[in-house]
Amino acid sequence: MSSSAATSADDVIGQPAKAQFEAFLDEHRRELNGCLDGLTEEQARRSLVRSRNTLLGLVKHATFVEKVWFDEAVTCRSRAEIGIPATPDESFILHDGDTIATVQQAHREACRASRRATSSLGLDDMVRGNRRGPLPLRWVYLHVLRELAQHCGHADILREQLIGG
């Protein structure tokens, strides 16, 4: 989807595959971003597992994912040029200035930039800036969708632990 208008997967059943991929991606993006809604800053930062997974960290990491796959991979700019961590693990690290509002806003901005970066590309167009080498946009969409789905599941469990069912 080339705009930020909310479209559900059900709205694009008869549309081209790219519109379907983008609707699914956007649903997962909204779901993950929304996992922070209604929480206190302390709840969003609370560590409930041994890893760095916190709800705030998950959304911050999702911003990193957007920039890796739709900036670095598409534009071929380095992570240093983009201003993102060198590794995925580092993208979960929370800093004092990271708040629910700032992390959600950064994520929404990264998603908008991702949509712009891919708006003129077709599913079979190759992106050349990934460490794996050239990849078709279709593969990138599937990879990001898989990652977002996993993180939405993580967020569901963490949120349930924080506030109950």
Side-chain angles (χ1 to χ4, degrees), residues 29 33 59 62-63 66 102-111:
R29 288 166 170 155
N33 192 290
V59 179
T63 301
E66 293 287 335
T102 63
V103 169
Q104 282 183 316
Q105 183 60 30
H107 180 249
R108 284 190 294 269
E109 289 171 6
C111 293

Side-chain angles (χ1 to χ4, degrees), residues 5-139:
T7 301
S8 78
D10 288 342
D11 296 333
V12 295
I13 291 171
Q15 292 188 19
K18 186 177 181 193
Q20 293 176 4
F21 277 121
E22 290 173 346
F24 276 84
L25 284 167
D26 281 340
E27 280 187 352
H28 284 76
R29 288 166 170 155
R30 285 189 303 270
E31 182 73 23
L32 191 56
N33 192 290
C35 78
L36 298 172
D37 292 346
L39 298 179
T40 66
E41 295 293 334
E42 185 278 327
Q43 287 173 316
R45 287 175 166 275
R46 190 178 305 163
S47 179
L48 301 167
V49 293
R50 290 185 188 166
S51 69
R52 289 186 170 150
N53 277 341
T54 64
L55 286 172
L56 195 62
L58 279 171
V59 179
K60 186 173 181 180
H61 171 70
T63 301
F64 168 84
V65 168
E66 293 287 335
K67 291 180 179 188
V68 164
W69 288 105
F70 300 116
D71 191 339
E72 180 183 37
V74 173
T75 69
C76 300
R77 295 188 314 148
S78 71
R79 291 179 186 190
E81 288 176 277
I82 297 166
I84 58 175
T87 67
D89 191 50
E90 292 172 279
S91 71
F92 286 90
I93 297 171
L94 298 175
H95 303 288
D96 290 342
D98 291 329
T99 66
I100 292 170
T102 63
V103 169
Q104 282 183 316
Q105 183 60 30
H107 180 249
R108 284 190 294 269
E109 289 171 6
C111 293
R112 282 192 291 273
S114 295
R115 287 184 207 99
R116 284 191 305 274
T118 59
S119 65
S120 64
L121 299 177
L123 292 177
D124 296 323
D125 287 345
M126 302 299 280
V127 298
R128 303 191 180 283
N130 185 264
R131 296 170 185 185
R132 289 174 178 86
L135 297 165
L137 182 62
R138 176 186 319 273
W139 189 93

